[in-house]
Amino acid sequence: MVSSRTQDDAPASDRPELLRALAHDLAAARYTVDEVAELLGAEARAALSRDQIVPALAATRAAGEDPARNPLGAVVRFFLLARPLPEAALGTVFPALGPQGLRALGLAEPADDGGWLAAVDLRPYGWDAGDGAKEIWVASDLAAHQRPGVLRSDHVLGIGHASATLVQTTARRQVGCALDLGTGCGIQAFHLLGHARHVVATDISERALAFARFNLLLNAGALGLDPDRLEDRIELRRGSLLDPVAGELFDLVVSNPPFVITPRAADERAEDQFTYRDGGLPGDELVARLVAGLPAVLAEGGTAQLLGNWEIPAGAPWHERVRSWVSADVDAWVVQREEVGPGQYAETWLADASQQRDPGAYEDAYAAYLADFAARGTAAIGFGAVWLRRPAPGQARLDRFEELTHPLEQPIGPYWAAAVERADWLAAHPDLGAERLVVAGDVTEERHQRPGAEHPGVILLRQGAGFRRTILLSTELAGFVSACDGGLTAGQIASALAALLGRDDEGFRPGLLAEAANLVAEGFLVPAETAAGPADDMTPGNREETA
């Protein structure tokens, strides 16, 4: 367990009376997701998500800059927009805590002109959980758009695109013990507490664990934690990758690891690495080690979900390397969401840490990226999500690698879970002919034909939710789908179609049922017995929002 007395430049979590005062003042200022959204308006919120603060500054000015009349605007300017406040104004906005209390917690520091500056980003964050809406405040380091200069090497990332993606991708289910590997400021752990009896959160950065502990204690009530017995529900451990949990088993593992591929140098020091994104290993070795090592900590039936980058060698399929990392005794389902070239990849991550602010260093770093990829014959870099499972008896064996670059229904996690459940159902029902099927509620059919043509030339089945797949149907399969209303078994429908079409060839019926099984696996058809459940009437169960 990381010490409650945090290191320099990280929020302090050993002053419970100050944490209570902070929570009181933030609540009194109505510092919530919805209130901030209303104050800023849609355009300023959208700009802020792109790290552009000018519209938000204009919105807070338009709402009035007097802290006594508009305390919410002052809090937004201070913590979200990192603008200084005079001491009197800060005292007005935080009457219970005061400027010195903010300083004691490591949240504010004196400015040169006698005012005060935020030392961290502190923002509201909310989501819909199974037992109702949750709303908390999350502290992290100030980002590049909030402070000058290159980010510090031990920068603690806030609620970024990757962390939100993992939250939306994770299939939520009630579990005994869960692991958040590479917790950062704690986002994944906050969500795990809603459906795991016990959580272990690890990070290689002591400073990141200090932020996570601060956030847990600040929001103990909302997260259902006893601040005096934090370890009863969650443990914070320091260490690299799986080292802190060696020999333990988990029902669920989630990880947003430092997967960024970064050129290595012979004289490289730890302080030269950005710990939130750079694992210190060459190429995609960190993700490779994690994918290969995770099965050792999965209990029977346990699952792991993580994000990652992987290198794609020239002339090779994108999934070839990723598949080689997966051990034969676990299931794998990997979805590649994006693929970029070496140059675009370099530009993305150099800009991420504001390294373009030093032109000379930027040029050298860009060239190093290109040389590093070229040395390994890397033609492209993929980004996506990895799902692993140590299968229990009776569960399906999954070996699925697919590229989906179109927009998916978010959160995708519930749909992913439903897809795995359908695969398990198919494994338990090998004779599909005896089963009754219905068309999923989000499925529509499209028919295209030439003007004047008697029959359609193209028949498409589309999903309106979830993975939003589109599949091309044969006339026979379209007829099968149209008859799936739960009244007849799949075998009865296949036999009726064979008679109607005069198909007496031996392979027609089993071939049609095999195609129908694929439609079940993809979620176009669902078992009639589960049609009212999550496999058919799936509605998003998580609403991730942040100011």
Side-chain angles (χ1 to χ4, degrees):
M1 172 62 64
V2 68
S3 169
S4 62
R5 168 63 69 179
T6 61
Q7 62 185 61
D8 292 341
D9 299 328
S13 56
D14 60 345
R15 301 287 297 274
E17 74 285 359
L18 295 184
L19 289 172
R20 288 192 293 269
L22 172 63
H24 175 274
D25 286 342
L26 293 173
R30 307 190 318 278
Y31 195 42
T32 67
V33 169
D34 290 341
E35 292 286 348
V36 172
E38 183 177 351
L39 174 75
L40 296 181
E43 184 174 352
R45 286 181 64 209
L48 200 56
S49 71
R50 302 188 302 269
D51 296 340
Q52 298 295 330
I53 67 172
V54 174
L57 286 169
T60 56
R61 281 195 294 268
E65 295 191 81
D66 181 357
R69 298 181 59 185
N70 184 18
L72 177 61
V75 176
V76 169
R77 285 193 298 276
F78 188 69
F79 276 129
L80 279 187
L81 308 181
R83 287 300 182 261
L85 282 181
E87 181 162 341
L90 201 62
T92 299
V93 177
F94 294 95
L97 188 59
Q100 294 303 327
L102 285 166
R103 186 178 190 179
L105 286 176
L107 305 182
E109 55 193 16
D112 292 338
D113 61 0
W116 290 82
L117 286 167
V120 302
D121 177 298
L122 182 65
R123 63 181 59 207
Y125 175 70
W127 69 95
D128 290 336
D131 57 350
K134 297 281 188 184
E135 183 123 0
I136 61 176
W137 298 288
V138 179
S140 61
D141 268 326
L142 294 169
H145 66 285
Q146 297 168 310
R147 57 175 295 280
V150 176
L151 298 183
R152 56 187 296 161
S153 62
D154 58 354
H155 177 83
V156 177
L157 196 64
I159 308 165
H161 173 72
S163 58
T165 297
L166 182 58
V167 164
Q168 294 173 325
T169 302
T170 300
R172 306 288 167 189
R173 59 189 177 93
Q174 294 297 320
V175 297
C177 194
L179 169 64
D180 174 14
L181 192 155
T183 191
C185 68
I187 294 300
Q188 309 306 321
F190 306 149
H191 285 269
L192 290 175
L193 284 167
H195 59 102
R197 190 166 57 250
H198 190 78
V199 177
V200 175
T202 69
D203 206 288
I204 198 171
S205 166
E206 184 176 348
R207 194 162 176 273
L209 292 172
F211 270 92
R213 183 179 178 87
F214 173 86
N215 289 329
L216 289 165
L217 289 171
L218 175 61
N219 300 287
L223 295 172
L225 302 173
D226 180 347
D228 296 322
R229 299 176 59 90
L230 203 63
E231 296 81 359
D232 288 353
R233 291 291 319 282
I234 182 167
E235 298 176 60
L236 301 177
R237 302 181 192 174
R238 185 182 182 190
S240 177
L241 297 180
L242 295 167
D243 290 349
V245 295
E248 299 179 55
L249 296 178
F250 297 88
D251 303 304
L252 175 62
V253 179
V254 299
S255 182
N256 178 22
F259 56 72
V260 177
I261 300 169
T262 307
R264 305 266 68 94
D267 58 348
E268 184 176 81
R269 302 168 300 167
E271 53 266 33
D272 296 327
Q273 302 167 359
F274 294 104
T275 54
Y276 73 93
R277 71 181 206 189
D278 180 8
L281 296 174
D284 51 19
E285 180 64 23
L286 184 136
V287 178
R289 290 188 187 182
L290 196 52
V291 171
L294 277 169
V297 301
L298 290 181
E300 186 175 81
T303 56
Q305 293 191 254
L306 63 147
L307 303 180
N309 275 156
W310 38 81
E311 295 183 315
I312 305 171
W318 73 265
H319 61 276
E320 190 173 83
R321 281 178 52 75
V322 185
R323 176 178 265 126
S324 72
W325 303 337
V326 181
S327 61
D329 58 341
V330 295
D331 299 327
W333 187 345
V334 181
V335 176
Q336 178 166 284
R337 298 288 289 141
E338 184 181 19
E339 184 177 314
V340 300
Q344 185 178 346
Y345 190 85
E347 293 161 15
T348 297
W349 292 109
L350 289 171
D352 175 77
S354 300
Q355 289 171 275
Q356 76 275 17
R357 293 176 178 176
D358 183 340
Y362 179 82
E363 181 178 342
D364 292 342
Y366 198 136
Y369 267 101
L370 298 182
D372 186 54
F373 286 128
R376 290 188 298 276
T378 300
I381 301 92
F383 168 80
V386 178
W387 175 92
L388 302 171
R389 178 174 70 177
R390 180 172 291 285
Q395 291 182 323
R397 294 308 312 269
L398 293 169
D399 178 45
R400 185 164 186 170
F401 296 77
E402 58 183 329
E403 185 172 32
L404 299 175
T405 57
H406 61 267
L408 308 180
E409 180 81 8
Q410 295 296 349
I412 193 62
Y415 299 99
W416 203 322
V420 172
E421 289 171 5
R422 289 192 301 272
D424 290 340
W425 183 89
L426 284 168
H429 297 79
D431 180 14
L432 192 64
E435 306 300 329
R436 286 175 166 79
L437 305 174
V438 296
V439 180
D442 66 320
V443 171
T444 57
E445 183 185 276
E446 283 184 25
R447 293 181 176 239
H448 301 267
Q449 62 192 71
R450 298 282 299 171
E454 184 178 355
H455 301 291
V458 175
I459 305 174
L460 300 174
L461 217 54
R462 294 190 184 275
Q463 290 177 329
F467 289 95
R468 291 175 173 164
R469 304 181 192 278
T470 298
I471 193 166
L472 178 66
L473 300 183
S474 64
T475 303
E476 296 84 358
L477 190 56
F480 182 95
V481 171
S482 66
C484 286
D485 59 5
L488 299 174
T489 66
Q492 289 170 330
I493 296 172
S495 296
L497 282 171
L500 180 65
L501 298 172
R503 297 290 300 273
D504 56 1
D505 48 298
E506 186 176 327
F508 176 78
R509 187 177 183 275
L512 193 58
L513 290 176
E515 290 183 284
N518 182 60
L519 291 180
V520 173
E522 302 289 24
F524 292 96
L525 297 176
V526 295
E529 65 197 62
T530 65
D536 179 47
D537 184 20
M538 181 65 71
T539 54
N542 293 56
R543 172 187 64 98
E544 281 71 50
E545 294 187 41
T546 175

